Amino acid sequence: MQGSENKGASVRRGLANTAPGPDSLAHLPLLDLDAFDLDGIPDSLFAERALHGRNLLPLKRRAGRLFVAVADPTDLSALDVVKLQAGLDIEPVRVQRDKLKRILEEMRRFGRLPDSRLSGALEGGLDSLDEDALAVETEPEGEEPLSAAAAEEAPIVRFVNRVLLDAVASGASDVHFEPFEASYRIRFRTDGLLSEAIKPPKHLGRRLAARLKVMAQLNIAERRLPQDGRIKIRLSQSRALDLRVNSLPTLWGEKIVLRILDPSTARLGIDVLGFDPGQKALFEEALTRPDGMILVTGPTGSGKTVTLYAGLNALNTPERNISTAEDPVEINLEGVNQVNVNPKVGLDFASALRAFLRQDPDVLMVGEIRDLETAEIAVKAAQTGHLVLSTLHTNSAAETLTRLRNIGVPAFNLATSVALIIAQRLARRLCAQCKESFPTSPALLLRQGFAQAEIEAGLTLFQPNAQGCPACRNGYSGRVGVYEVVKITPEITQIIMDDGDSLALAAQARQHGFMGLRTACLAKVAEGTTSLVEANRITAAGEP
């Protein structure tokens, strides 16, 4: 380590003493850029506008002279322009052309040098937006945001802003900043799938994590424990996004994951979620009840929050008092009393629910039922004249009831409180402009779960165009919800009271005509909304 420092110091001393005349420009000693301390170059040197767009790299300013790395030191015209506009004497330093090109490109990508290319057009009237337009709004109000001058001087700030803008432009729902032993990568989750977006140099990892933690108002000095925070960014006068931030200490540094939350999704109506007409009617009927419990279940990232918010949006009228307990509050809803639970100070779901019951509520929403205490209070609220909405992490509607039984909720309380269960997944939607039909055999369709009557009536299945088109990504554009909606009928209530298992509950639901997740997914395939490959990704053949 000491040897490399001595080598770098000798290179810098040689650079400072280099002052060739015009006749010896072509015979300048060659500087190895890989041995030069590029991170030590002051950001102020990159403010020289004459350098932008030229194959020149500023290295050092000393005693009124600007040392500039060039691949062709005989290009006196470029050097003269820099000298004229910078008002400094120019000392060219000869470097290898390929290394200079690579380093300039890296510096443009990471924000140290301006790049004329746009990071991508954004939808929703944000076409002219660039990273300088991104404003971080701190919470609580009153804290001073970063000044424009400070942002311009910080390359990491500009790079993080560009990554966020690219994520928004690509429609990503999550951004992963991941350190490894010999590399660092940033991935976007778009339409449910992760893909690598960029691989910055590994040594930038700690600086990127620190910048994100500053934006989220987390403790920068704490790198041993996970932390949660949030960032609010304003893209324009009419559009802002909330980012949910989590830091996680890993073997090679802190992994930071951002969840991008668009407040416009909270205003989505039930019509656009993807319910079958019969399922939509069941959901709307349950929302009109004065009491009872509506449970939404599915894995992380399956759209449960959006479904709950769509229901709350339908209920949000001046005549109702609506309160929610969330961990954390993902999207602000005007007219709804939202509480961010904080277990560190004793404000958990159970204590929030107990407080809600003393606040004259009509509708309650619990972000997630995780334990018996929360479940018992939610059940009590549903039994005493309140409509309760909540989520669980289970795979199907029938497993939701057995999960609550395993938590410790008595069967009688379940039978008298739960009104509706929605299990859901998100499937990638086929691009309407470039999707392609493909031939299938009746035997294949039967094995996949299609009904014989459907096959005999004629089915045309579609697949994504592998090349895609300007309107999509690899043949898919956006996602659509796939749902299992089960109303608790007297027959299902009897099975619950008899302590029946999930298989018996699922069988009874099918007798009532409630579609399972696999059946609902195949219906989306038959209507050309998604592909059979996508159906098999989120559900398994043979499931109901």
Side-chain angles (χ1 to χ4, degrees):
M1 181 73 179
Q2 185 175 359
S4 62
E5 291 177 355
N6 292 336
K7 181 179 178 182
S10 63
V11 169
R12 289 190 289 273
R13 285 196 298 271
L15 172 61
N17 295 327
T18 302
D23 294 336
S24 59
L25 285 177
H27 305 288
L28 286 173
L30 191 67
L31 173 67
D32 184 3
L33 283 176
D34 290 336
F36 191 80
D37 183 15
L38 297 173
D39 285 336
I41 300 175
D43 292 331
S44 59
L45 293 188
F46 299 109
E48 303 296 348
R49 299 189 60 179
L51 295 170
H52 301 173
R54 302 180 185 276
N55 292 322
L56 304 173
L57 177 66
L59 299 175
K60 189 179 183 69
R61 178 187 289 162
R62 185 173 182 179
R65 292 185 296 173
L66 180 64
F67 294 86
V68 179
V70 294
D72 181 10
T74 62
D75 185 6
L76 298 179
S77 61
L79 297 174
D80 287 341
V81 172
V82 175
K83 177 179 179 179
L84 179 64
Q85 295 195 15
L88 299 170
D89 290 333
I90 303 301
E91 295 290 349
V93 179
R94 191 163 65 94
V95 296
Q96 291 178 303
R97 187 180 301 275
D98 57 342
K99 289 185 179 180
L100 177 62
K101 182 179 179 181
R102 172 176 55 82
I103 289 172
L104 287 174
E105 179 61 27
E106 287 182 359
M107 287 192 165
R108 289 189 180 98
R109 287 173 64 192
F110 303 126
R112 299 202 74 184
L113 283 174
D115 191 350
S116 60
R117 296 171 298 177
L118 295 176
S119 59
L122 299 179
E123 296 180 356
L126 303 175
D127 302 62
S128 60
L129 186 65
D130 60 24
E131 63 268 21
D132 294 329
L134 189 70
V136 179
E137 296 188 358
T138 58
E139 296 180 0
E141 292 183 4
E143 301 236 356
E144 288 295 326
L146 286 174
S147 67
E152 182 65 26
E153 292 173 1
I156 288 294
V157 173
R158 294 195 297 271
F159 173 63
V160 169
N161 286 352
R162 175 167 294 191
V163 170
L164 296 181
L165 288 171
D166 286 345
V168 174
S170 64
S173 61
D174 301 85
V175 185
H176 293 238
F177 293 79
E178 301 172 304
F180 298 99
E181 182 179 12
S183 63
Y184 193 95
R185 72 180 178 186
I186 299 174
R187 294 190 292 171
F188 295 166
R189 184 179 294 277
T190 307
D191 291 342
L193 298 181
L194 279 169
S195 60
E196 189 175 284
I198 192 170
K199 294 191 72 171
K202 185 184 184 316
H203 72 271
L204 293 180
R206 291 187 65 178
R207 296 169 67 186
L208 291 172
R211 170 57 186 162
L212 291 167
K213 290 168 74 173
V214 166
M215 295 172 70
Q217 298 183 330
L218 301 179
N219 184 357
I220 301 177
E222 179 57 76
R223 294 193 289 269
R224 301 165 301 174
L225 296 173
Q227 296 186 68
D228 290 294
R230 60 189 303 120
I231 301 169
K232 186 170 186 177
I233 59 175
R234 183 159 297 281
L235 300 173
S236 68
Q237 291 295 325
S238 60
R239 185 178 180 190
L241 296 177
D242 289 318
L243 308 180
R244 194 174 70 191
V245 184
N246 177 264
S247 68
L248 176 69
T250 69
L251 187 60
W252 305 109
E254 286 185 285
K255 175 179 178 179
I256 309 288
V257 176
L258 312 180
R259 168 66 59 86
I260 300 175
L261 306 169
D262 190 345
S264 63
T265 60
R267 296 187 292 272
L268 291 177
I270 297 174
D271 294 337
V272 302
L273 295 181
F275 284 107
D276 174 88
Q279 295 175 334
K280 176 190 168 188
L282 290 174
F283 189 23
E284 291 177 334
E285 178 189 350
L287 290 173
T288 62
R289 291 174 55 104
D291 54 19
M293 187 182 297
I294 299 174
L295 298 174
V296 182
T297 182
T300 301
S302 60
K304 300 186 297 296
T305 301
V306 173
T307 300
L308 284 179
Y309 280 4
L312 290 177
N313 194 48
L315 293 169
N316 190 10
T317 63
E319 295 79 22
R320 291 189 179 95
N321 178 21
I322 304 176
S323 298
T324 74
E326 304 172 62
D327 183 21
V329 173
E330 296 195 356
I331 298 174
N332 296 327
L333 293 173
E334 185 69 25
V336 175
N337 306 291
Q338 296 174 276
V339 173
N340 203 18
V341 300
N342 186 358
K344 293 181 181 179
V345 299
L347 180 59
D348 54 15
F349 284 122
S351 59
L353 272 174
R354 280 194 293 267
F356 289 165
L357 292 176
R358 296 190 290 270
Q359 291 270 320
D360 185 29
D362 295 303
V363 179
L364 304 177
M365 194 271 271
V366 187
E368 182 183 351
I369 295 178
R370 299 173 178 171
D371 52 50
L372 177 59
E373 185 180 14
T374 305
E376 286 179 335
I377 299 173
V379 166
K380 177 183 175 182
Q383 291 173 332
T384 55
H386 308 95
L387 182 62
V388 180
L389 289 76
S390 188
T391 71
L392 280 90
H393 283 84
T394 59
N395 290 325
S396 67
E399 291 175 30
T400 301
L401 295 169
T402 56
R403 165 69 174 155
L404 289 172
R405 289 287 289 113
N406 292 336
I407 288 177
V409 180
F412 174 80
N413 284 340
L414 285 180
T416 57
S417 62
V418 179
L420 189 78
I421 303 175
I422 302 173
Q424 69 179 79
R425 302 289 189 275
L426 288 177
R428 289 182 293 170
R429 189 189 296 268
L430 283 170
C431 176
Q433 298 186 25
C434 67
K435 64 181 180 181
E436 304 171 338
S437 61
F438 70 99
T440 55
S441 66
L444 171 65
L445 296 177
L446 278 174
R447 287 197 303 271
Q448 292 296 323
F450 287 99
Q452 182 67 45
E454 288 182 288
I455 299 172
E456 292 176 354
L459 278 176
T460 301
L461 303 190
F462 292 87
Q463 63 184 0
N465 185 318
Q467 286 72 38
C469 71
C472 69
R473 292 170 54 89
N474 302 320
Y476 292 99
S477 179
R479 291 189 288 179
V480 62
V482 178
Y483 301 92
E484 175 190 17
V485 181
V486 175
K487 179 182 178 181
I488 305 303
T489 63
E491 293 81 6
I492 293 178
T493 298
Q494 188 60 52
I495 295 175
I496 296 173
M497 295 295 295
D498 294 340
D499 206 16
D501 58 17
S502 60
L503 294 176
L505 290 167
Q508 184 61 52
R510 302 303 163 256
Q511 289 185 21
H512 287 306
F514 302 140
M515 288 192 298
L517 281 170
R518 179 66 180 183
T519 304
C521 208
L522 292 180
K524 301 291 185 188
V525 174
E527 67 187 26
T529 302
T530 191
S531 66
L532 187 58
V533 171
E534 185 69 2
N536 290 333
R537 185 180 71 86
I538 62 174
T539 61
E543 291 182 352

